[in-house]
Amino acid sequence: VNLTVSLVQDEHGEPDYFVSVIEDISKRKIADAKLRASERDLKIAEELARLGSWSWLVEKDIVQWSKTLYDIIGLDPEKPPPAFDEHPKLYDNRSWDLLSKAVERAVQQGESYQLELNMVHTNGQIINTFTQGMVIKDDSGKVIRLHGMVQDITQRKRAEAEHNKLFNVSFDLLCIAGMDGYFKELNPAWESAMGYSLDELYSRPFNDFVHPDDIEKTASEIAAIEDGKSAIDFNNRYISKKGDILHLSWTAIPVLEEKRMYCIARDVTRRIHAEEQTINHQRRLKDLTQQLTISEERVRKQIAIDLHDHVGQMLSSARMQMSRIIDAEENPELMIRMKSLSQALLRAIKGTR
């Protein structure tokens, strides 16, 4: 409680009695404690987010910085912050030019601003920052104060640079597509593959580039993605600006809260053509094998016919003539030789058969 005691005097100015007022300040104490805790949490959050605050009383030219802002620049928080005319030392030339013009407009026209600026740490390192200034006016509309925040976004900018480097140098077709049927972000590989500029690709629904025979199955796959399912090795065909057909193999992951799909498409046209050529070669080889088999059978039959109709008949005729000679001949020695020759002809006839 808060106790207030007042002395009341009589008409002669002598002490008469006391008046006491007891005020219950429990709620106020609780509110003060919550406020201090909130301020402490805010300070911790600012330090974690590398978010510094500043304030500038325009007419009195008094500048105040938070401790986090001192830390971002590397200055001693025990010393007063530099005056505005000393700020050029804290920025590179381009950033200072942007900031000075923004501050001038803020003071003269009451315009708030948001800028990405490069600040210079005391060790010479460049710090990427996001700076915003808010105008505070008096009742007459005159700007009396600028208040703002400075956030160190160096790590984020480095991550963005790495992302852009990977995004831009990839030979695969990388894209972010919306559930509304339009491309949102494409890497430069799309221009090389499709022959369209990125602006042309952004301006039309992506189904405009899909082969007509593949539109139905593409729509079915997108419907599954909208239900939260990822697409892996989904193949369809796109038509380039020159009319060439590209065979693409897709991997797509949905992010439903953003209503977007993050996709990688690989141009497998050469592989598809190579597979088609292999299949055609195999088909031709099979046809040639069948033709060779048929030719061999035809030649075999022709040889059999020639042996049977010509060689076989000639051997049979020769044996018949020899039989007549054997029947008429009386020389025993010659008969033995003739019979041996006849047996040889018989074996030859059986061999041809």
Side-chain angles (χ1 to χ4, degrees):
V1 295
N2 184 29
L3 174 63
T4 302
V5 180
S6 299
L7 174 64
V8 179
Q9 298 175 340
D10 60 16
E11 56 185 7
H12 303 292
E14 296 296 328
D16 192 2
Y17 59 89
F18 292 96
V19 175
S20 300
V21 178
I22 299 176
E23 180 186 4
D24 183 358
I25 60 173
S26 300
K27 292 183 178 179
R28 192 179 75 189
K29 286 291 186 180
I30 293 173
D32 289 343
K34 288 183 178 180
L35 180 59
R36 287 193 297 271
S38 177
E39 290 175 347
R40 183 179 64 252
D41 292 343
L42 179 60
K43 184 177 180 181
I44 294 173
E46 287 182 354
E47 292 178 355
L48 291 175
R50 299 282 288 169
L51 184 65
S53 60
W54 56 269
S55 180
W56 178 35
L57 295 175
V58 178
E59 290 186 352
K60 296 182 179 180
D61 195 21
I62 297 176
V63 180
Q64 294 177 324
W65 280 11
S66 68
K67 181 180 180 301
T68 305
L69 185 52
Y70 279 99
D71 293 339
I72 291 175
I73 304 302
L75 295 176
D76 184 358
E78 299 299 328
K79 297 181 180 179
F84 190 74
D85 58 1
E86 297 179 4
H87 280 197
K89 301 175 183 178
L90 306 179
Y91 297 87
D92 61 22
N93 293 335
R94 173 184 170 278
S95 296
W96 171 245
D97 184 56
L98 290 173
L99 179 61
S100 59
K101 290 179 180 178
V103 171
E104 183 179 355
R105 287 194 301 270
V107 173
Q108 294 179 357
Q109 304 174 21
E111 296 181 2
S112 299
Y113 61 85
Q114 293 182 344
L115 299 169
E116 286 192 7
L117 304 174
N118 292 332
M119 301 188 75
V120 182
H121 195 276
T122 53
N123 62 10
Q125 179 184 357
I126 297 297
I127 307 297
N128 305 118
T129 65
F130 175 73
T131 301
Q132 53 185 343
M134 182 178 66
V135 174
I136 299 176
K137 303 177 182 179
D138 60 14
D139 295 338
S140 65
K142 181 181 178 181
V143 175
I144 59 173
R145 186 176 181 181
L146 291 182
H147 182 75
M149 310 292 286
V150 176
Q151 184 176 16
D152 183 357
I153 59 172
T154 305
Q155 294 299 326
R156 193 189 79 189
K157 297 296 286 186
R158 288 176 182 172
E160 289 177 355
E162 291 297 323
H163 164 267
N164 291 334
K165 187 184 298 183
L166 293 172
F167 196 78
N168 292 329
V169 303
S170 174
F171 291 106
D172 288 333
L173 306 177
L174 309 181
C175 76
I176 301 173
M179 302 298 185
D180 59 357
Y182 284 84
F183 291 120
K184 304 302 180 183
E185 189 173 355
L186 299 167
N187 70 329
W190 280 90
E191 288 183 311
S192 302
M194 293 289 291
Y196 291 99
S197 68
L198 294 183
D199 289 338
E200 289 175 312
L201 292 167
Y202 289 137
S203 65
R204 294 165 56 184
F206 49 70
N207 268 348
D208 284 1
F209 307 103
V210 177
H211 192 285
D213 294 342
D214 291 347
I215 288 180
E216 185 175 349
K217 75 171 185 177
T218 301
S220 176
E221 191 69 21
I222 291 175
I225 292 173
E226 290 176 347
D227 288 336
K229 299 178 181 178
S230 299
I232 299 176
D233 292 335
F234 169 72
N235 296 316
N236 66 358
R237 290 167 292 176
Y238 268 52
I239 301 177
S240 72
K241 194 169 186 177
K242 294 181 180 179
D244 297 330
I245 296 177
L246 304 180
H247 295 262
L248 302 181
S249 177
W250 292 86
T251 298
I253 299 175
V255 180
L256 300 181
E257 58 271 21
E258 297 180 7
K259 295 184 178 181
R260 291 189 173 190
M261 304 174 276
Y262 290 78
C263 312
I264 300 175
R266 177 158 294 178
D267 186 353
V268 294
T269 305
R270 291 184 179 179
R271 190 192 75 190
I272 295 296
H273 287 170
E275 290 175 353
E276 290 176 349
Q277 290 178 355
T278 300
I279 292 173
N280 290 334
H281 287 324
Q282 291 175 343
R283 186 180 296 112
R284 286 198 296 269
L285 182 60
K286 183 178 179 180
D287 292 341
L288 289 173
T289 302
Q290 290 178 344
Q291 293 178 11
L292 180 60
T293 301
I294 294 172
S295 297
E296 288 177 349
E297 186 63 26
R298 186 181 298 114
V299 171
R300 190 179 295 111
K301 288 181 179 180
Q302 186 62 44
I303 291 173
I305 292 172
D306 290 342
L307 287 174
H308 180 271
D309 294 348
H310 299 287
V311 178
Q313 290 183 6
M314 291 171 63
L315 290 172
S316 297
S317 177
R319 190 165 181 272
M320 290 175 64
Q321 294 179 22
M322 186 166 292
S323 296
R324 295 193 188 97
I325 296 173
I326 292 172
D327 292 341
E329 185 61 50
E330 295 181 355
N331 187 336
E333 185 179 350
L334 184 59
M335 286 290 292
I336 294 173
R337 292 182 179 180
M338 293 294 285
K339 287 180 179 180
S340 176
L341 185 56
S342 177
Q343 292 298 320
L345 288 173
L346 180 61
R347 289 194 298 273
I349 291 171
K350 289 180 179 180
T352 57
R353 289 175 180 170

